[in-house]
Amino acid sequence: MAEKSGADILVEALCDLGVEVVFGYPGGAVLPIYDAIFKQKRLRHILVRHEQAATHAAEGYARSTGKPGVVLVTSGPGATNAVTGITDALMDSIPMVVITGQVATHLIGSDAFQEADTVGITRHCTKHNYLVKDPARLGATIHEAFHIATSGRPGPVVIDIPKDVQVATAKYTRPGPIQHKTYRPQIKADPAVIEQLVDMLAAAERPILYTGGGIINSGPAASLLLRELAKITGAPVTSTLMGLGAFPASSPQWLGMLGMHGTYEANWAMNQADLILALGSRFDDRVTGRLDAFAPNARKVHVDIDRSSINKTVRIDLGIVADVGHVLEDMVRVWKARQHPKPDTNEWWRRIEGWRAVKSLDFPEGDGKEIMPQRAIRALWEATHSQAPIITTEVGQHQMWAAQHFDFEAPNKWLTSGGLGTMGYGLPAAIGAQLGNPKALVIDIAGEASIQMNIQELATATQYRLPVKIFILNNEYMGMVRQWQELTYESRYSESYSDSLPDFVKLGEAYGWKGILIEEMSQLDGGIADMLAHDGPVIVDCRVAKLANCFPMIPSGASHVEMILQTDKVAGTLNDEAKALV
Amino acid sequence: MHIKEEKAERHTLAVIVDNEPGILARIAGLFTARGYNIESLTVSEITEDKQVSRITIVTSASPHVLEQIVAQLDRLVPVHKVRDLTAEGAHVERELALVKVRGTGEARIEALRLAEVYRARVVDATISSFVFEVTGGTEKIDKFVELMNEVGLIEVARTGIVAISRGKDAA
């Protein structure tokens, strides 16, 4: 067998693993790899304008297709720029493989030009990472990296490849089945535990299914099984930010998102439930609110593929380490085999309907001229939902309004930075999603502050003729910061005003995009229609009510039943304990 | 506002790992990143092919955090298994110390006498000093060092704790 260069081994291994798209940016320490890419036609390389965007684009691609996202960056600043997106993927369990160039092995540790300790820096923001010093190990390492990134709880894996390893030659063996020495995620639950879980669910008077991103990671079958389980048990369903779309928003059993900006009915149902079945969700602090007041009367069952998620913050009565899709499948099968009748949840639903009647997502309509941001999202939904669009977001008020007011019917349509909360995620994620789904309508719902954090990616969409849409809810504030300053710091707006904003229409045009300005209600539907009618990328600057806030809201340090509703008048200060929480 | 801390228990963990570069940094880094304590950490290869190492970690944490420490360690890709020896029952803990003592005349005789009581071996001697090798549990070594301090302690090197479960089964 002829030997190949490390760079050729990398390209061949990626192709063998079914990779079609690589998001990257060239530089000195990856030149041999870029030359290998130049000489082949199977891999498509997407040139971003900043390495952080490469990682978010890979996340968008991964989240919308279910396939791992692949990133290629150079050493030093290339790798350090990628760190934010790598951390984002770790927090949100996104399968991603990041190839970083490194200085030649004999230069490592000498503070060489563009040298950084990439494996050291990324050790705690990856699921695993490798420094490959032997070209003969390169092929197998790449195969293993993809196995680790995509199996168990998905996450980012970094492979750091010194430049001399890219040039040196070795034999390459095609990937086979991987039996890792130590890494063996537990996929199936013990049948006895499933029986116990079904007993608990059948006996519950006030059950609730609390679902998360794990259902989406498990694959489309898990979403269908969740619908089946909800149907046969009659249990209400709520979801975390990351899990939106796994259960259809049009179902009468859907309570909406829970947590800090969740609905009144979802949070009260969590508080009053006697059984919480957590499915691929992780009791994040945005979800639980004050821990000692969280769901005081509920028995809690937690299904998670990551053992460390169980009992991390909330005490669990029954922990099940397994893939949530398999557990759902087993539960539905056991339930049906036992011919359980649908439990009587009428009284429970009567109470839920009472909470629902509060209509916690309602918002004041304004003066008829001014656009309320929530109204803009509803209008966007009305105009696009029949096309099942993929929605990405940045981070802040617009993100929460999108989560509250844009209804999703299917998984893999909602891409947002949940755990890390990374401003600048939405535009590159939309680019990645559009590449993975060329025919889909992809819209980044953005804020005027966040969009500027990766605005340079307008050029990437132009270069690859990607018809992504950006819909900016422009209120001239870092709105969520301003909202917290109103609630906690007596409205001292320290540095939260978006001064010196660019003219987004002209900015878009400068990059070859269509720009649309929407200033008042009468232009809203027309502006959205113009955006959808344009066969190319469009940036919409939608001016919205400047001081609108995102409600309902559980303030930091409060419990699920201490929600602030739209109609409540709140302002002022919080005690130090609450101030210390994020 | 004051920051509250939970009550901690001292536990000894045995972590069997693949002997790959960076594994120690991965484990030590996990402890700092997540705010866990390390009281002592020892590591050594334990197989003939040098592919596997055993890491013994003594940590102090509340029971809830201990459960997390074990789960977080177990989640690292190169980790074969993690055992909480303290939680799992009877086990033996040993430490080795090299203790350098200066002294002449009566102090020198006293040092030798105490060393005999503690079954410490003399591994180096000059006219005016000794190096003792002593093994045992942490308390015994603490006590020996304390006594030597009175006689003429110069310096101490300690291995940290290694531990193994009692009985026929592997950890």
Side-chain angles (χ1 to χ4, degrees):
Chain A
M1 188 169 64
E3 294 202 337
K4 293 170 185 294
S5 73
D8 285 333
I9 289 174
L10 171 66
V11 169
E12 182 151 356
L14 293 179
C15 291
D16 283 348
L17 291 159
V19 175
E20 290 165 0
V21 184
V22 175
F23 301 91
Y25 203 104
V30 281
L31 284 174
I33 297 172
Y34 272 86
D35 196 50
I37 286 175
F38 187 87
K39 291 189 279 196
Q40 57 83 48
K41 290 206 159 53
R42 291 180 293 172
L43 274 185
R44 187 173 182 205
H45 180 272
I46 302 299
L47 177 69
V48 293
R49 299 303 188 264
H50 185 288
E51 289 90 349
Q52 183 193 351
T55 57
H56 295 322
E59 288 185 275
Y61 179 88
R63 196 69 175 166
S64 63
T65 63
K67 294 187 274 191
V70 182
V71 175
L72 171 59
V73 296
T74 193
S75 63
T80 56
N81 277 344
V83 164
T84 301
I86 295 171
T87 313
D88 196 272
L90 182 73
M91 291 286 269
D92 286 345
S93 309
I94 309 293
M96 182 158 93
V97 174
V98 181
I99 318 287
T100 55
Q102 181 56 276
V103 301
T105 46
H106 70 276
L107 291 173
I108 289 177
S110 70
D111 298 326
F113 177 64
Q114 291 196 327
E115 182 187 358
D117 175 12
T118 301
V119 283
I121 290 168
T122 61
R123 195 168 284 134
H124 301 298
C125 60
T126 51
K127 184 171 173 187
H128 197 51
N129 64 11
Y130 304 88
L131 169 63
V132 184
K133 288 182 166 172
D134 174 4
R137 288 281 312 143
L138 184 58
T141 303
I142 295 163
H143 303 155
E144 185 181 298
F146 274 76
H147 172 66
I148 287 171
T150 53
S151 62
R153 180 177 179 175
V157 176
V158 166
I159 311 172
D160 199 26
I161 311 178
K163 199 171 178 184
D164 54 339
V165 175
Q166 299 168 28
V167 175
T169 58
K171 290 192 172 69
Y172 169 71
T173 313
R174 298 175 70 108
I178 291 184
Q179 268 291 47
H180 198 274
K181 268 187 290 184
T182 51
Y183 175 74
R184 306 268 175 92
Q186 193 176 326
I187 304 299
K188 292 281 280 182
D190 177 358
V193 176
I194 298 289
E195 297 278 347
Q196 196 186 343
L197 174 51
V198 170
D199 288 343
M200 288 171 83
L201 195 53
E205 289 176 4
R206 302 184 307 281
I208 185 166
L209 307 181
Y210 150 50
T211 65
I215 305 238
I216 292 169
N217 274 335
S218 181
S223 282
L224 296 176
L225 287 160
L226 171 65
R227 289 156 204 227
E228 180 74 9
L229 182 72
K231 197 176 99 190
I232 58 182
T233 60
V237 182
T238 182
S239 164
T240 66
L241 182 71
M242 294 309 295
L244 295 178
F247 193 74
S250 58
S251 164
Q253 280 171 265
W254 171 244
L255 303 188
M257 182 174 75
L258 84 166
M260 186 170 270
H261 292 291
T263 66
Y264 194 75
E265 55 269 35
N267 286 331
W268 268 91
M270 285 293 279
N271 183 265
Q272 295 292 307
D274 67 351
L275 178 73
I276 291 174
L277 176 49
L279 297 165
S281 48
R282 62 181 178 91
F283 295 93
D284 176 81
D285 58 71
R286 299 288 102 160
V287 158
T288 60
R290 203 175 94 210
L291 271 177
D292 59 6
F294 174 72
N297 303 312
R299 297 226 283 161
K300 298 164 192 91
V301 180
H302 192 178
V303 180
D304 201 300
I305 200 156
D306 179 359
R307 175 182 163 203
S308 75
S309 284
I310 292 167
N311 276 329
K312 179 156 41 177
T313 55
V314 169
R315 314 278 80 210
I316 298 302
D317 297 285
L318 178 63
I320 302 174
V321 180
D323 181 297
V324 71
H326 283 285
V327 171
L328 283 165
E329 189 184 357
D330 291 348
M331 280 180 77
V332 168
R333 199 189 55 247
V334 169
W335 186 284
K336 285 183 171 169
R338 290 196 198 170
Q339 298 184 314
H340 265 304
K342 196 163 165 174
D344 179 9
T345 49
N346 284 333
E347 172 57 19
W348 181 221
W349 274 107
R350 196 191 57 72
R351 295 182 64 192
I352 292 171
E353 292 305 335
W355 298 319
R356 202 177 248 170
V358 171
K359 293 187 179 300
S360 61
L361 294 182
D362 278 6
F363 51 91
E365 278 293 355
D367 59 6
K369 194 173 172 204
E370 189 176 52
I371 301 171
M372 292 303 286
Q374 301 94 324
R375 175 56 54 204
I377 305 251
R378 286 309 294 177
L380 197 59
W381 178 82
E382 293 284 353
T384 62
H385 71 93
S386 61
Q387 300 180 56
I390 295 172
I391 301 294
T392 74
T393 73
E394 310 289 333
V395 169
Q397 282 183 325
H398 68 274
Q399 177 191 29
M400 291 298 114
W401 282 319
Q404 291 174 335
H405 296 280
F406 204 103
D407 294 337
F408 294 93
E409 298 295 311
N412 306 101
K413 302 290 185 190
W414 166 246
L415 322 178
T416 195
S417 170
L420 196 64
T422 309
M423 293 169 73
Y425 169 89
L427 172 54
I431 288 170
Q434 189 77 77
L435 277 157
N437 304 267
K439 296 212 169 74
L441 169 62
V442 182
I443 307 172
D444 171 24
I445 297 178
E448 86 289 337
S450 279
I451 192 65
Q452 295 184 78
M453 283 216 187
N454 269 319
I455 194 77
Q456 76 286 344
E457 297 309 314
L458 291 171
T460 307
T462 306
Q463 181 178 346
Y464 297 98
R465 300 177 189 281
L466 302 172
V468 298
K469 319 296 181 200
I470 299 174
F471 193 88
I472 302 171
L473 298 179
N474 183 348
N475 63 359
E476 296 180 16
Y477 278 104
M478 295 154 216
M480 195 57 93
V481 174
R482 196 211 63 231
Q483 176 167 345
W484 279 57
Q485 288 172 337
E486 286 176 15
L487 294 175
T488 317
Y489 298 98
E490 297 168 318
S491 300
R492 289 186 292 278
Y493 295 164
S494 183
E495 304 294 328
S496 54
Y497 182 66
S498 292
D499 209 323
S500 308
L501 283 173
D503 178 333
F504 286 109
V505 170
K506 281 190 190 157
L507 182 72
E509 286 167 0
Y511 276 103
W513 287 48
K514 181 183 174 66
I516 296 174
L517 177 64
I518 299 176
E519 289 183 289
E520 54 184 70
M521 272 304 287
S522 62
Q523 302 166 329
L524 182 59
D525 290 335
I528 291 172
D530 288 349
M531 173 186 91
L532 296 173
H534 182 69
D535 183 23
V538 183
I539 184 165
V540 178
D541 181 1
C542 181
R543 305 288 170 84
V544 297
K546 289 191 173 54
L547 298 177
N549 280 341
C550 187
F551 293 112
M553 178 179 182
I554 302 172
S556 48
S559 77
H560 278 175
V561 296
E562 299 171 274
M563 299 188 80
I564 304 173
L565 297 175
Q566 198 76 241
T567 45
D568 297 337
K569 190 77 194 141
V570 270
T573 183
L574 291 177
N575 65 24
D576 284 355
E577 269 77 14
K579 272 186 189 167
L581 298 168
V582 284
Chain B
M1 189 186 103
H2 299 281
I3 294 168
K4 295 181 207 109
E5 278 186 29
E6 279 186 276
K7 199 160 182 242
E9 289 173 12
R10 189 169 169 280
H11 279 235
T12 304
L13 312 178
V15 189
I16 313 299
V17 300
D18 236 22
N19 197 14
E20 61 163 52
I23 179 63
L24 196 57
R26 229 176 260 287
I27 293 205
L30 170 72
F31 274 73
T32 43
R34 293 192 183 266
Y36 309 144
N37 260 320
I38 298 182
E39 289 189 5
S40 144
L41 185 151
T42 66
V43 54
S44 187
E45 289 160 355
I46 53 164
T47 54
E48 242 172 83
D49 60 6
K50 299 182 188 276
Q51 294 293 302
V52 177
S53 287
R54 183 178 177 117
I55 301 178
T56 309
I57 301 172
V58 181
T59 181
S60 282
S62 66
H64 162 223
V65 174
L66 271 163
E67 184 187 342
Q68 267 296 301
I69 293 175
V70 172
Q72 292 289 353
L73 285 169
D74 203 31
R75 191 160 92 113
L76 296 176
V77 169
V79 169
H80 287 259
K81 56 182 172 180
V82 185
R83 290 288 178 270
D84 182 339
L85 295 173
T86 308
E88 286 177 17
H91 65 282
V92 187
E93 292 188 5
R94 286 293 179 270
E95 212 182 328
L96 183 147
L98 296 173
V99 182
K100 188 177 280 186
V101 180
R102 175 170 38 209
T104 50
E106 191 51 38
R108 185 175 167 80
I109 293 160
E110 187 57 29
L112 270 179
R113 220 179 273 143
L114 287 166
E116 205 180 314
V117 174
Y118 279 79
R119 298 183 201 288
R121 290 198 311 138
V122 176
V123 290
D124 179 70
T126 67
I127 293 300
S128 58
S129 72
F130 288 117
V131 174
F132 294 114
E133 173 201 301
V134 58
T135 59
T138 300
E139 268 180 45
K140 172 183 164 185
I141 293 178
D142 285 349
K143 190 75 199 159
F144 182 70
V145 172
E146 196 186 308
L147 289 169
M148 288 303 118
N149 207 12
E150 290 182 27
V151 181
L153 183 72
I154 298 169
E155 61 176 343
V156 187
R158 293 171 74 150
T159 57
I161 284 171
V162 291
I164 206 159
S165 62
R166 290 188 186 273
K168 63 178 168 34
D169 297 323

